[in-house]
Amino acid sequence: MSLERLNEKQRRAAMQVEGPLLILAGAGSGKTSTMTERIAYMIEQGIPSYHILAVTFTNKAAGEMRSRVEELVGRCDDMWIMTFHAMCLRMLRYNCEVIGYDHNFVIYDGTDQKTIVKNILKEQGINDKEFSAPYLLSIISDYKEKAVSADEYRDAVEDNYKTKVIYSVFKAYEDELKKNNAMDFDDLLLNTVRLFEQDEAILLRYQRKFQYIMVDEYQDTNHIQYKLIKMLAEGHHNLCVVGDDDQCIYQWRGADIRNILDFEKDFPEAKVIKLEQNYRSVGNILAAAHSVIENNRGRKGKKLWTDREDGDKIKYYRADTEKDEARYVAQEIDLLKGRDKKYSDFAILYRTNAQSRHFEEALTQRDIPYRVLSGLRYYDRKEIKDMMAYMRLVVNPYDDLSLRRVINEPKRGMGDKSVEKIQGFANVRGESLLQALSDEEVLDTLPGKAYSGVKNMVECINLCRDERDNLRVSDIYDNLLVKTGYMKALEDANTVEAEGRIENLMEFKSVIYDYEEQADKPNIEEFMEKITLMAEVDNHDANQDAVVLMTMHSAKGLEFPVVFLPGLEDGLFPGHKAFDSSDKMEEERRLCYVGMTRAKETLILCSASVRTLYGRTEYTRESQFLRELDKRLLDGDAVYVRKTRDSGLGVSTGSFDGFAAKESPKPYDSLRYAKAATKANASAGDEEFAVGDKVRHAKFGEGLIIDQDGKTLTVIFDAAGQKKMAKGIAPLKKL
DNA sequence: CGGCCTCAGATTTTT
DNA sequence: TCTGAGGCCG
């Protein structure tokens, strides 16, 4: 039996299949192995795979679990291993008529939500300084996560000016989504709960189907997810939740740590198994992390242990400035790299994305390759959102939101006034904007400049829709990109920024190709759905040998031989807001714990005594977490004792800063170089070109290279004229 | 309609 | 200090 790869506790967890089970899995305790082996064990015991449901938070986690399960037991397509949202979407697609939605409902993402709330604010004449759209949305989302509707909100809260405003926006927001046959991410969960409440037969059907349920990262579930799982598990009580209360770092967006703390109250017959043996980190790192986390109250109280050696002590460096800090980190990487390390063995984990900049500069100076996992989500990029809007219109001609987004993108001379005019016609005719614009009569009312551009666009979208069964998704994409004039506008702009956008659009196309390859029956509807539920496209190939920079939040679930935690200063980490409440402070402390436990062999902490934040330069105090850390585990000088720096770093702040200023490249450039390097490694098509080479472009045909610089080639095409293209991205072949 | 300028605001982020 | 959003003018 495969279970022999597990330790005794893990095996007990894997074999405890019946009844409620809480697995408290500490950092690095082999959680994923345990879960996958558990599923494999169930299959071996003869439980049909369609009776099993495994829920995760991210697509990545779901994908990983599925592939590891399939390694053990072979393909099992009828097993539901997916995210909460994907699970709800799937159930709602079949049943949403029950709660008054059309089968073809669409999903609105965060940007769509913001647009809608902004429109509501404008309509209702609400001062958006007093009530900003993001603020209102966060409140609305908070309530939706607690399964509270707008009307229930009104009945529950005190009646005053503020709650009146929130109610009216909340209500209008609900109505607007319903009108557009759209759901936001919260609705996917909320409406599934409503569906179950409204139609018991459907709930019973799913209870009968999902006889064995597992939930990953249970400490991060919010109320509605909890409710959903509870409803599903009610029938049979075979519910296994896996999590670590010490790693709950998402309370600020609704995760309710009580879900995991109170599991035994919810299911009194629950068994609890703690996985405390850590296979990841050396002893000193675990001890250090423990000395910090034990300052939290209300824990389930686990203590990780390892049979590995103690390892090096924790290093700590108190830098002068953030630049000094970054230089120290870069230097240390060079030093350690000299021994037995690869660049990809290093991670720099910071509290805020803004901190990445100095590290990028310092790494560039030392020619250390790196990649930044930025907070900007893939679908948040403007050009991707624009193309998505075009594609949505192909699927759903009623989507006024998307049409408004792209009607003047690229510029077609359609300002607000013209759009409102068309909206007027559409309202009278009871049609959507796109439908109205499909009529020559309406189109004719537009000024000459707008007329031809809009007509072109509308024809292109409608054509793609009519032909969508005959066209590949990538064909539709190409068509939209070119015929709407979007690509041309970017090419004409001829700026670095536009080039980057073209790059992203090409990347998006490779996402489409991937989808077409992997899907059974590729179609644009399914593709759009997949993309909407996908956060960051996993385009960062882990094979690339580069130092990784990211926030501690994004590092959850990952591990690295060497981890740097910079910026350990009160006000930055823990962030200044943490000093208002002990709840916030405890969450920051858990984040610190997550950060520290990412390290396998070496953990290096630093802080800067002077930091410039938001243009304000201030002296800092060393982080409370440093003060909590067991000093005996610190290498060399304890906290509060200045270390003298190597001569290589310069002696005084002045000379060092001067040096840094002279040498540092523009941060934007360094980012681009890093990206370009990633690309070059990833794509096979990075041929070397020289001026005078004849080339063939996939779209523009044959041409001649007349100029090149760091990242672009200038090509004259026989048919299409002169173009600038991005090296390694543009589909060019040497002839 | 579009470009430029001024002003506020500024953790963490999956789906 | 930097970025994004909104207002104003050409």
Side-chain angles (χ1 to χ4, degrees):
Chain A
M1 197 201 301
S2 54
L3 291 178
E4 60 214 20
R5 281 172 30 198
L6 303 181
N7 69 30
E8 190 251 325
K9 283 262 188 88
Q10 290 173 329
R11 197 174 318 127
R12 256 179 58 209
M15 293 172 69
Q16 179 66 50
V17 166
E18 305 290 327
L21 171 67
L22 166 62
I23 304 178
L24 285 167
S29 63
K31 175 189 75 168
T32 311
S33 302
T34 308
M35 288 183 78
T36 50
E37 295 282 355
R38 188 171 188 273
I39 294 175
Y41 177 75
M42 289 195 271
I43 303 254
E44 276 172 28
Q45 296 299 300
I47 295 170
S49 53
Y50 56 81
H51 279 327
I52 300 173
L53 166 68
V55 200
T56 66
F57 274 83
T58 67
N59 292 303
K60 199 173 155 217
E64 221 162 85
M65 197 184 296
R66 161 147 270 142
S67 68
R68 286 181 62 173
V69 168
E70 292 190 342
E71 259 170 48
L72 294 174
V73 300
R75 274 190 78 158
C76 36
D77 293 333
D78 54 358
M79 192 186 318
W80 285 36
I81 303 184
M82 53 183 89
T83 64
F84 272 103
H85 296 268
M87 168 183 79
C88 291
L89 176 64
R90 197 146 150 191
M91 297 195 283
L92 286 169
R93 277 282 176 235
Y94 291 115
N95 303 295
C96 63
E97 276 89 357
V98 175
I99 48 163
Y101 273 86
D102 183 274
H103 165 79
N104 275 319
F105 69 85
V106 295
I107 301 164
Y108 278 174
D109 68 19
T111 322
D112 301 325
Q113 294 178 285
K114 222 166 102 188
T115 311
I116 287 172
V117 172
K118 273 189 182 162
N119 290 342
I120 293 171
L121 292 178
K122 215 178 277 172
E123 263 167 44
Q124 304 193 352
I126 295 164
N127 178 353
D128 63 354
K129 294 227 167 69
E130 197 179 350
F131 297 96
S132 76
Y135 169 71
L136 286 164
L137 269 170
S138 75
I139 291 179
I140 292 174
S141 178
D142 279 354
Y143 282 99
K144 287 172 86 156
E145 275 171 6
K146 294 185 184 102
V148 175
S149 69
D151 288 334
E152 287 162 351
Y153 167 82
R154 181 198 47 201
D155 298 340
V157 297
E158 188 192 330
D159 187 29
N160 59 35
Y161 169 65
K162 189 175 153 191
T163 56
K164 266 201 179 72
V165 172
I166 293 173
Y167 168 69
S168 94
V169 176
F170 195 167
K171 184 79 180 164
Y173 177 76
E174 272 184 352
D175 292 345
E176 184 67 19
L177 287 191
K178 196 73 191 281
K179 197 186 99 197
N180 291 352
N181 194 33
M183 297 190 198
D184 63 20
F185 288 128
D186 294 327
D187 286 330
L188 290 174
L189 301 158
L190 184 55
N191 284 330
T192 307
V193 169
R194 298 242 163 94
L195 172 73
F196 289 163
E197 281 169 349
Q198 238 163 78
D199 192 328
E200 219 192 329
I202 294 177
L203 173 59
L204 278 171
R205 212 169 69 221
Y206 282 111
Q207 283 181 344
R208 235 173 286 132
K209 175 169 172 53
F210 299 125
Q211 295 183 7
Y212 297 88
I213 301 178
M214 296 177 83
V215 185
D216 190 18
E217 306 279 14
Y218 190 66
Q219 77 281 354
D220 284 332
T221 46
N222 61 30
H223 177 76
I224 192 100
Q225 288 160 337
Y226 164 81
K227 196 161 172 176
L228 190 61
I229 288 298
K230 212 168 172 205
M231 286 174 113
L232 281 173
E234 209 91 276
H236 45 69
H237 281 215
N238 298 326
L239 171 64
C240 166
V241 303
V242 186
D244 180 358
D245 48 314
D246 290 333
Q247 291 189 66
C248 175
I249 54 174
Y250 286 112
Q251 265 184 305
W252 52 274
R253 63 175 197 214
D256 192 342
I257 196 167
R258 279 175 307 176
N259 291 160
I260 193 161
L261 296 178
D262 292 348
F263 184 79
E264 294 155 90
K265 275 188 213 151
D266 290 324
F267 298 92
E269 76 273 38
K271 296 227 165 53
V272 181
I273 296 177
K274 291 183 185 176
L275 302 181
E276 293 172 299
Q277 180 172 4
N278 175 294
Y279 294 96
R280 180 186 293 152
S281 314
V282 294
N284 281 336
I285 290 174
L286 287 185
H290 186 256
S291 71
V292 172
I293 196 68
E294 72 180 348
N295 290 284
N296 270 8
R297 321 185 103 257
R299 298 175 56 227
K300 281 276 183 187
K302 286 182 305 335
K303 186 162 185 182
L304 292 177
W305 60 275
T306 180
D307 54 17
R308 293 184 62 177
E309 73 281 19
D310 287 348
D312 293 338
K313 288 196 171 179
I314 314 301
K315 277 196 207 170
Y316 172 64
Y317 176 68
R318 174 82 170 157
D320 273 346
T321 65
E322 63 266 35
K323 277 189 178 138
D324 183 19
E325 179 185 55
R327 268 200 58 88
Y328 166 77
V329 169
Q331 176 192 265
E332 207 62 20
I333 289 174
D334 256 348
L335 235 55
L336 291 166
K337 156 89 172 145
R339 302 182 208 160
D340 51 342
K341 295 278 186 295
K342 293 177 295 186
Y343 285 121
S344 54
D345 288 340
F346 299 88
I348 305 173
L349 309 180
Y350 33 74
R351 179 66 240 266
T352 69
N353 285 120
Q355 286 169 259
S356 74
R357 201 147 208 170
H358 296 288
F359 295 104
E360 292 185 50
E361 286 176 22
L363 293 169
T364 311
Q365 262 181 46
R366 285 185 173 264
D367 286 321
I368 298 173
Y370 65 88
R371 58 203 167 95
V372 184
L373 302 193
S374 83
L376 188 63
R377 266 160 285 161
Y378 192 73
Y379 62 75
D380 277 345
R381 288 180 193 147
K382 182 181 180 305
E383 57 277 15
I384 303 300
K385 284 235 61 168
D386 288 343
M387 284 315 293
M388 295 266 296
Y390 277 120
M391 291 169 84
R392 272 184 178 182
L393 285 162
V394 170
V395 175
N396 175 16
Y398 305 98
D399 193 347
D400 286 354
L401 198 72
S402 293
L403 191 96
R404 277 167 177 271
R405 181 181 175 97
V406 293
I407 193 160
N408 205 28
E409 197 65 58
K411 302 279 171 270
R412 300 190 175 94
M414 281 293 290
D416 287 344
K417 254 176 72 188
S418 304
V419 176
E420 284 324 308
K421 188 169 73 187
I422 302 300
Q423 182 74 68
F425 286 122
N427 289 348
V428 172
R429 301 158 65 118
E431 292 177 338
S432 71
L433 285 170
L434 183 64
Q435 286 173 315
L437 283 168
S438 303
D439 189 332
E440 190 68 30
E441 225 173 82
V442 175
L443 216 46
D444 253 341
T445 65
L446 292 174
K449 191 168 72 163
Y451 173 84
S452 58
V454 172
K455 181 173 173 163
N456 235 327
M457 177 196 86
V458 171
E459 277 175 357
C460 176
I461 294 171
N462 288 336
L463 185 76
C464 285
R465 180 171 41 255
D466 295 341
E467 293 294 316
R468 69 181 187 281
D469 294 333
N470 306 321
L471 291 169
R472 287 177 306 181
V473 182
S474 52
D475 294 332
I476 295 176
Y477 178 74
D478 282 343
N479 250 305
L480 292 167
L481 199 53
V482 176
K483 289 202 187 141
T484 58
Y486 199 93
M487 195 49 145
K488 186 164 188 312
L490 284 177
E491 282 165 352
D492 290 349
N494 221 338
T495 60
V496 193
E497 195 202 356
E499 225 175 87
R501 293 186 186 232
I502 293 175
E503 218 174 275
N504 289 332
L505 288 168
M506 291 305 165
E507 206 170 296
F508 190 47
K509 193 165 164 184
S510 71
V511 173
I512 300 179
Y513 282 142
D514 287 350
Y515 163 74
E516 286 174 341
E517 254 173 52
Q518 152 264 282
D520 271 352
K521 227 172 112 272
N523 64 82
I524 187 166
E525 285 88 352
E526 188 189 72
F527 175 74
M528 298 302 291
E529 208 148 78
K530 272 212 144 89
I531 287 291
T532 312
L533 287 183
M534 189 148 61
E536 184 82 37
V537 174
D538 280 322
N539 54 1
H540 48 270
D541 40 334
N543 327 327
Q544 200 207 339
D545 188 26
V547 175
V548 187
L549 283 73
M550 65 178 119
T551 62
M552 282 177 262
H553 280 93
S554 352
K556 192 163 100 170
L558 305 176
E559 56 177 35
F560 305 89
V562 184
V563 167
F564 293 90
L565 297 184
L568 279 157
E569 297 141 34
D570 280 351
L572 181 61
F573 186 41
H576 56 88
K577 289 195 172 126
F579 291 88
D580 307 343
S581 81
S582 66
D583 275 2
K584 283 183 187 144
M585 183 57 88
E586 296 210 346
E587 176 146 326
E588 294 278 301
R589 195 175 282 115
R590 289 192 291 269
L591 185 59
C592 184
Y593 176 78
V594 168
M596 293 172 85
T597 52
R598 296 312 95 196
K600 291 160 88 166
E601 296 154 25
T602 309
L603 176 62
I604 301 176
L605 314 173
C606 14
S607 69
S609 50
V610 172
R611 182 175 297 270
T612 307
L613 201 59
Y614 303 140
R616 207 166 277 278
T617 303
E618 268 164 356
Y619 286 94
T620 67
R621 186 163 103 124
E622 282 165 321
S623 168
Q624 168 160 353
F625 303 145
L626 281 172
R627 277 173 264 140
E628 289 166 1
L629 203 140
D630 186 343
K631 303 294 175 296
R632 290 168 303 179
L633 301 165
L634 276 184
D635 179 28
D637 311 319
V639 186
Y640 294 127
V641 180
R642 261 314 292 291
K643 285 180 92 177
T644 44
R645 283 164 300 156
D646 317 7
S647 55
L649 283 174
V651 183
S652 74
T653 315
S655 73
F656 170 56
D657 276 348
F659 175 65
K662 197 172 61 206
E663 294 284 293
S664 70
K666 289 210 301 295
Y668 186 64
D669 283 344
S670 67
L671 193 74
R672 284 191 56 79
Y673 286 134
K675 264 198 89 169
T678 313
K679 290 249 99 147
N681 277 357
S683 71
D686 65 326
E687 252 178 293
E688 276 298 318
F689 296 103
V691 173
D693 282 350
K694 282 203 165 169
V695 292
R696 181 191 301 281
H697 186 277
K699 194 167 78 210
F700 302 118
E702 286 188 26
L704 181 72
I705 298 183
I706 58 163
D707 192 18
Q708 69 164 317
D709 62 20
K711 12 187 202 308
T712 54
L713 295 164
T714 309
V715 189
I716 294 195
F717 290 104
D718 300 349
Q722 184 172 329
K723 304 267 179 210
K724 287 202 171 214
M725 356 214 62
K727 264 188 203 171
I729 309 293
L732 284 171
K733 266 209 187 100
K734 221 192 282 197
L735 289 180

